[in-house]
Amino acid sequence: MGRTLGLFFKQKTTIIGLITMLLFQLIFAVVWMNGYDDVTARMDQMNIGVISEDAVTGAEIAKHLVSSLPFRMHDLASVEEGNEKLNARELQAVIHIPADFSAQLQKQGGKTEIEVLVNESNPAMVKSVGQQVLGEVTKNVNEQVTQTSIVAALGQMRVPAEQAQALASGVTGRVTGTYTALNPISNFALQMVPMMVVLASYVGGMLLSMQLTASASMIAGQTNRWMRFLARQIIGAGAAVLVGFIATSILYLFDVEPAAGFWSLCGFLILTLFAFISFAQMFLFLFGQAGMLFNIVALSLQLATSGTMLPRELLSDTFYAIGNYLPATYAVLGNMNLLFGGTGTSGAVSSLLWIMVASLGVSVIGVLIHRDPSAKR
């Protein structure tokens, strides 16, 4: 056994495997601990919209909420605008004060509701943020701090001062909150599908590129570099088509029915896979097998910055900017839209195409740099 172990350790591949295992731990720790550092302290970077269809008390409460809630608050003109911004993921939640808010409060013992809308076609954390906003809103509206503005608003309606004060003091407990989900997701397993698809797709593309690099080295004496490059792209495109179709079919086997339909999701997965393959092979064309180190870094960065684990708004400016140049960011966006609903898929497709073209361009540079032996130039 000792002799066998010695023979193993004389092989470079054994040492490379051990180093790679260690690097996975080191790189993921460095990237994730820095990427997610102080995330809870950046909750105030979440974007929340406020709509008041009530021009009296509701309008005053809306102003108070904008100035008091610990988020980036935005005044909105209508529920329709709020829905559009939620579907585009420009907002994480929308607070809606209904048109009959004041009227309901003036009724003896009357109660009213404030609605919080959330697009659940997002990381699971957005749903919990929406529920947090709902609690904050109902607490704020039901507290004494809103009573002054309510008295003033009722006074403008010529309600006697004593009656206005009585109404204001009776507001506590009379305002309840309602949570409304756009593109609702009831099963937590479904919420994790975009992350699963992106992780499986990039790791698969990375490993395929690594094996094709090894195969290309074996046949280097029989072919020229440009034919090998072209062959690798044909194999990669064929693999993307085959695996994209199979992956979409597997989702259907687990009762995952995309909002956009089978072929739309399948086409997007094919594009995603080829973009991932192009991106992963870029490092290998430039650096050979050592390019796997860069792929490990790229994998970790993409999981941390793509918005599959938590909203990208909670990332630091540096990690947010890095995510803008990585394909997983747009793969997650497109998958969420096609699986659950939302807008911006065309932008995600365009970004993936640009990244794919840029990656292929860098790969061509790698081919130019690493020449074949003179006999095969």
Side-chain angles (χ1 to χ4, degrees):
M1 179 57 70
R3 178 175 176 274
T4 303
L5 285 171
L7 290 172
F8 263 100
F9 280 100
K10 287 181 180 179
Q11 306 303 312
K12 289 184 179 179
T13 50
T14 301
I15 304 303
I16 291 172
L18 292 171
I19 293 173
T20 301
M21 183 177 179
L22 174 62
L23 286 175
F24 260 105
Q25 297 293 325
L26 178 62
I27 290 169
F28 268 70
V30 170
V31 171
W32 284 52
M33 292 305 292
N34 282 284
Y36 289 164
D37 187 38
D38 285 336
V39 161
T40 52
R42 289 193 289 271
M43 290 296 290
D44 59 354
Q45 295 180 190
M46 301 291 274
N47 294 285
I48 311 296
V50 180
I51 307 160
S52 177
E53 294 181 316
D54 176 44
V56 191
T57 308
E60 292 296 325
I61 287 177
K63 290 179 183 177
H64 171 71
L65 293 176
V66 168
S67 64
S68 65
L69 289 181
F71 305 102
R72 291 177 177 172
M73 304 300 295
H74 305 267
D75 283 312
L76 303 175
S78 65
V79 175
E80 290 72 21
E81 181 188 3
N83 288 342
E84 288 177 7
K85 289 183 179 293
L86 283 173
N87 275 314
R89 299 177 182 82
E90 296 175 20
L91 299 173
Q92 280 69 59
V94 168
I95 302 165
H96 172 219
I97 300 174
D100 64 348
F101 189 86
S102 295
Q104 291 298 324
L105 286 180
Q106 289 187 68
K107 293 180 179 178
Q108 185 67 30
K111 291 190 175 183
T112 187
E113 292 183 343
I114 290 181
E115 181 182 29
V116 172
L117 300 94
V118 173
N119 178 14
E120 291 191 355
S121 179
N122 268 300
M125 188 177 186
V126 171
K127 182 174 181 178
S128 64
V129 168
Q131 293 168 341
Q132 178 187 344
V133 169
L134 185 63
E136 289 282 343
V137 167
T138 53
K139 177 183 176 182
N140 265 271
V141 174
N142 280 313
E143 280 181 349
Q144 185 70 29
V145 72
T146 63
Q147 293 182 18
T148 302
S149 60
I150 292 173
V151 169
L154 292 175
Q156 291 177 4
M157 299 173 64
R158 297 183 180 179
V159 175
E162 291 184 4
Q163 184 181 353
Q165 186 63 48
L167 286 170
S169 62
V171 166
T172 302
R174 292 174 59 192
V175 179
T176 58
T178 300
Y179 177 91
T180 301
L182 276 65
N183 308 312
I185 303 173
S186 58
N187 189 337
F188 182 77
L190 296 178
Q191 197 100 45
M192 303 307 293
V193 169
M195 185 185 73
M196 177 201 74
V197 170
V198 167
L199 178 60
S201 298
Y202 191 80
V203 172
M206 183 173 68
L207 294 176
L208 173 63
S209 298
M210 182 178 68
Q211 296 304 318
L212 289 177
T213 298
S215 298
S217 298
M218 294 176 186
I219 63 174
Q222 306 169 49
T223 60
N224 69 67
R225 51 186 169 155
W226 294 110
M227 293 305 294
R228 293 197 301 276
F229 175 78
L230 181 59
R232 288 177 67 166
Q233 307 320 307
I234 293 172
I235 293 171
V241 172
L242 177 63
V243 174
F245 178 81
I246 293 174
T248 310
S249 301
I250 290 172
L251 290 177
Y252 269 81
L253 288 177
F254 284 93
D255 295 323
V256 180
E257 295 189 11
F262 181 93
W263 291 110
S264 293
L265 180 62
C266 181
F268 187 79
L269 282 181
I270 291 170
L271 172 62
T272 297
L273 282 161
F274 193 61
F276 281 166
I277 291 169
S278 301
F279 190 79
Q281 73 177 359
M282 169 179 69
F283 301 110
L284 296 168
F285 273 111
L286 284 176
F287 307 109
Q289 291 291 353
M292 282 304 295
L293 174 61
F294 293 92
N295 269 319
I296 295 171
V297 175
L299 172 62
S300 181
L301 281 171
Q302 289 183 98
L303 288 175
T305 64
S306 62
T308 185
M309 302 289 289
L310 51 76
R312 297 188 69 232
E313 288 76 11
L314 298 182
L315 297 172
S316 67
D317 292 341
T318 300
F319 278 83
Y320 188 93
I322 290 172
N324 290 337
Y325 298 97
L326 298 175
T329 299
Y330 307 102
V332 168
L333 174 61
N335 276 310
M336 284 184 174
N337 287 340
L338 296 172
L339 284 165
F340 312 125
T343 59
T345 306
S346 60
V349 169
S350 177
S351 296
L352 282 174
L353 286 171
W354 277 112
I355 291 173
M356 183 178 69
V357 170
S359 300
L360 289 172
V362 173
S363 295
V364 168
I365 293 173
V367 176
L368 288 169
I369 293 172
H370 301 290
R371 295 171 177 266
D372 284 337
S374 58
K376 289 296 178 183
R377 288 184 187 179

